[in-house]
C-alpha cells in the first residue's frame, strides 16, 4: 500500500479545495434548513456559476489556450475577471498546464495524465506536486499580453472580490445579513465547488468514459452527458483531434453553449476570426477511425470479406485517398491566394476556386462511396 506523499502536498491549494468542499457539504445544508431558498438566491447562483464556467470555457480554454477566435477587449476583460472567480488559477498558469496536456496527453509530462488514475486526473494533480514546476516556456504569447499578466498578478484578489465578496454584497442588498450569508455560501462557496469540479470532470471522466469517433490515438472521449454539465466541453475526442476549432460540439444537435456564445459574439462584433475545421476534414478523421475499427474486427474475429467486397472496399479507399490528396492541394492553393493576399488576377482566383470546388465535390462523392463499401463490409458482422 503506497503512502501519501505529505512532503509533496500543495498545502494552499489542498486546504482551499478541501475546505470549500466541506463547507458545501455541511454549512450550505444547515443554512438552507434554517433560512430556506428563494428565487433571488437561485438566480444569483446560476448567474454567477454561468459567468465563471463560461469564462473558463470561452476565455481560458478556447480563446487563450487555443486561439480558436479573436476577441475584443470587453470579452477578454470579462472572461479574465470571472475566470479568476472560479479559483482555477490565473489564465497564464491554466493555459500552460492545458497546452502541456495536449502536447503530452496520456504521457508522464501530461499534468493530469489519466494513466496515473482517475483521482490523479480529476484532482490529485492539484493536491500533490509530485514533480518540479515546469518552465513557462509554452506561453510566451501570453507573457506579452498586458491584460493576461495583470490578471496573473492579481488573480487571488480578483477571485476573492468577485467570487466571494460580490455575492455576499448582493445578498446583503437583497435581504440583509441572513441573505448575505446565503450569498457567500451559495453564490460564493458552492458556486466555486460546482464550477471547479465541472472543469475537473473534463480531465477525468472525458478521458475515461465515452466514445472516440475521431481518433483512438489518445484517451480523450466524447460524452454528451458531460457536455450538459460543462457548457459543451464534453465533446473531448473532437477537441483533442481539432483543438483549433472554436466548436467542441461540432454536430448541429450537440449541446455546446460555449460555441453558440462565441458565434453570437461574432455577430455582435465582439469576436472575429472564428476558426472552423472543414467538414470534409472532419469526415476524413471519422473514416480513418472507422477503417481502423473495421480492420481490428477483421483481425480479431473469424470473419473474411468476400473477394468482391474486399475489392470494392479497397477501390473505395484508394479513390478516397486520391480525392483527399487532391482536395488538400487545391485548398492550399486557393487559401494561399485568397487569405494570404498573394497577388493574382481575378481570372486566376476564379480558376483556383473552380478547381477547389471540383475537388470538394469529388471528395464528397468519394466519401459517400467509401461509406457504402464500409456498410457492406460491416454487414458481415451482423
Amino acid at each position: 500500500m503506497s503512502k501519501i506523499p505529505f512532503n509533496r502536498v500543495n498545502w494552499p491549494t489542498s486546504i482551499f479545495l478541501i475546505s470549500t468542499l466541506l463547507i458545501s457539504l455541511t454549512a450550505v445544508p444547515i443554512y438552507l434548513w434554517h433560512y430556506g431558498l428563494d428565487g433571488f438566491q437561485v438566480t444569483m447562483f446560476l448567474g454567477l456559476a454561468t459567468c465563471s464556467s463560461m469564462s473558463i470555457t470561452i476565455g481560458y480554454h478556447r480563446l487563450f489556450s487555443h486561439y480558436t477566435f479573436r476577441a475584443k477587449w470587453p470579452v477578454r476583460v470579462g472572461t479574465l475577471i470571472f475566470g479568476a472567480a472560479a479559483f482555477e488559477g490565473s489564465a497564464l498558469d491554466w493555459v500552460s498546464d492545458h497546452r502541456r496536456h495536449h502536447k503530452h496527453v496520456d504521457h508522464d509530462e501530461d499534468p493530469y495524465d489519466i494513466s496515473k488514475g482517475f483521482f490523479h486526473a480529476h484532482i490529485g494533480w492539484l493536491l500533490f506536486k509530485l514533480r518540479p514546476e515546469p518552465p513557462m516556456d509554452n506561453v510566451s504569447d501570453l507573457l506579452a499580453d498586458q491584460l493576461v499578466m495583470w490578471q496573473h498578478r492579481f488573480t487571488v484578489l480578483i477571485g476573492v472580490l468577485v467570487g466571494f465578496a460580490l455575492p455576499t454584497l448582493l445578498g446583503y442588498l437583497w435581504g440583509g445579513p441572513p441573505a448575505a450569508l446565503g450569498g457567500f455560501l451559495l453564490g460564493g462557496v458552492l458556486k466555486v465547488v460546482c464550477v471547479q469540479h465541472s472543469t475537473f470532470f473534463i480531465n477525468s471522466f472525458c478521458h475515461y468514459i465515452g466514445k472516440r469517433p475521431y481518433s483512438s490515438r489518445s484517451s480523450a472521449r466524447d460524452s454528451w452527458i458531460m457536455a450538459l454539465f460543462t457548457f459543451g466541453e464534453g465533446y473531448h475526442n473532437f477537441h483533442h483531434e481539432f483543438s483549433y476549432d472554436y466548436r467542441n460540439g461540432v454536430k448541429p444537435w450537440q449541446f455546446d453553449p460555449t460555441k453558440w456564445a462565441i458565434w453570437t459574439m461574432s455577430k455582435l462584433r465582439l469576436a472575429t476570426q472564428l476558426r472552423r475545421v472543414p467538414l470534409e476534414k472532419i469526415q476524413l478523421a471519422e473514416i480513418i477511425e472507422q477503417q481502423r475499427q473495421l480492420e481490428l474486427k477483421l483481425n480479431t474475429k473469424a470473419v473474411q470479406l468476400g473477394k468482391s467486397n474486399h475489392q470494392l472496399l479497397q477501390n473505395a479507399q484508394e479513390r478516397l485517398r486520391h480525392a483527399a490528396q487532391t482536395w488538400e492541394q487545391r485548398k492550399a492553393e486557393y487559401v494561399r491566394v485568397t487569405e494570404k493576399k498573394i497577388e493574382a488576377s481575378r481570372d486566376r482566383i476564379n480558376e483556383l476556386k473552380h478547381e477547389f470546388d471540383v475537388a470538394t465535390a469529388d471528395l464528397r462523392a468519394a466519401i459517400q462511396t467509401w461509406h457504402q463499401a464500409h456498410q457492406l463490409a460491416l454487414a458481415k458482422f451482423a
Side-chain angles (χ1 to χ4, degrees):
M1 183 176 179
S2 61
K3 296 181 179 179
I4 297 175
F6 286 106
N7 61 322
R8 299 292 183 89
V9 173
N10 183 351
W11 287 109
T13 299
S14 296
I15 291 170
F16 181 84
L17 292 175
I18 294 171
S19 62
T20 51
L21 179 60
L22 289 176
I23 291 172
S24 297
L25 295 175
T26 57
V28 169
I30 292 172
Y31 173 84
L32 294 177
W33 175 266
H34 282 281
Y35 296 102
L37 187 66
D38 60 32
F40 175 80
Q41 292 170 324
V42 172
T43 301
M44 180 174 61
F45 170 81
L46 293 176
L48 293 176
T50 298
C51 288
S52 287
S53 287
M54 296 199 75
S55 290
I56 297 297
T57 62
I58 292 173
Y60 278 33
H61 190 205
R62 302 194 198 185
L63 175 60
F64 295 114
S65 292
H66 299 294
Y67 289 118
T68 64
F69 68 103
R70 292 294 188 269
K72 299 295 180 64
W73 72 264
V75 176
R76 292 162 57 81
V77 171
T79 57
L80 287 171
I81 289 175
F82 282 97
F87 287 91
E88 296 184 17
S90 69
L92 185 74
D93 290 331
W94 199 101
V95 170
S96 181
D97 286 333
H98 189 69
R99 288 179 179 176
R100 284 202 307 277
H101 168 64
H102 273 267
K103 184 176 181 179
H104 304 291
V105 61
D106 300 332
H107 291 82
D108 191 50
E109 279 131 14
D110 178 357
Y112 21 95
D113 177 11
I114 192 65
S115 66
K116 292 184 175 72
F118 186 93
F119 178 78
H120 171 83
H122 188 78
I123 198 173
W125 71 281
L126 291 167
L127 301 179
F128 303 99
K129 293 299 182 183
L130 303 179
R131 55 191 305 161
E133 285 290 335
M136 305 287 283
D137 56 0
N138 61 349
V139 285
S140 58
D141 53 326
L142 298 185
L143 289 169
D145 189 315
Q146 293 183 355
L147 276 177
V148 170
M149 295 309 297
W150 165 78
Q151 190 241 27
H152 179 67
R153 288 192 295 271
F154 300 107
T155 187
V156 175
L157 176 61
I158 298 170
V160 170
L161 292 176
V162 180
F164 293 133
L166 177 61
T168 303
L169 176 61
L170 292 175
Y172 181 82
L173 294 175
W174 173 257
L181 177 60
F184 172 76
L185 291 174
L186 299 172
V189 177
L190 182 62
K191 173 213 66 186
V192 167
V193 171
C194 292
V195 171
Q196 286 181 340
H197 283 275
S198 69
T199 301
F200 300 163
F201 282 144
I202 302 301
N203 305 331
S204 53
F205 270 113
C206 286
H207 283 268
Y208 196 74
I209 297 172
K211 297 180 179 180
R212 293 187 284 182
Y214 304 99
S215 175
S216 55
R217 292 179 298 179
S218 79
S219 62
R221 286 165 161 79
D222 280 0
S223 170
W224 67 268
I225 295 176
M226 290 313 307
L228 298 178
F229 296 99
T230 59
F231 292 88
E233 299 286 82
Y235 301 105
H236 207 50
N237 188 251
F238 176 85
H239 173 63
H240 265 266
E241 192 66 12
F242 303 109
S243 60
Y244 53 92
D245 196 313
Y246 84 94
R247 307 162 297 174
N248 273 15
V250 68
K251 309 294 186 184
W253 59 86
Q254 290 177 328
F255 184 76
D256 187 357
T258 300
K259 167 187 70 176
W260 302 329
I262 294 171
W263 180 87
T264 301
M265 288 189 296
S266 73
K267 299 305 176 184
L268 298 174
R269 299 185 179 181
L270 292 172
T272 59
Q273 302 179 44
L274 277 59
R275 299 170 69 189
R276 297 166 58 104
V277 180
L279 174 62
E280 292 78 16
K281 198 162 188 175
I282 296 171
Q283 291 175 328
L284 286 173
E286 291 178 295
I287 286 172
I288 290 171
E289 183 58 29
Q290 289 171 17
Q291 181 63 36
R292 180 181 179 279
Q293 295 302 322
L294 176 61
E295 290 171 357
L296 284 174
K297 286 183 178 181
L298 291 172
N299 290 333
T300 57
K301 293 188 177 182
V303 176
Q304 295 293 326
L305 292 180
K307 185 175 181 180
S308 60
N309 280 350
H310 180 78
Q311 188 63 47
L312 186 66
L313 186 61
Q314 194 172 44
N315 290 342
Q317 291 171 353
E318 180 59 28
R319 180 186 175 187
L320 182 60
R321 184 189 65 80
H322 181 266
Q325 287 180 346
T326 302
W327 179 78
E328 288 282 4
Q329 292 171 357
R330 298 292 181 263
K331 178 175 178 289
E333 292 169 356
Y334 182 61
V335 168
R336 179 174 173 271
V337 170
T338 56
E339 294 187 6
K340 298 188 177 181
K341 309 300 183 184
I342 304 297
E343 289 189 10
S345 66
R346 183 175 296 276
D347 288 343
R348 178 56 179 159
I349 293 174
N350 290 336
E351 180 184 354
L352 288 173
K353 183 178 185 306
H354 175 70
E355 291 175 354
F356 177 51
D357 290 342
V358 170
T360 300
D362 185 52
L363 177 59
R364 290 173 179 172
I367 289 172
Q368 184 63 32
T369 299
W370 183 90
H371 277 299
Q372 292 171 353
H374 183 251
Q375 288 300 316
L376 289 174
L378 286 179
K380 288 288 183 179
F381 299 97

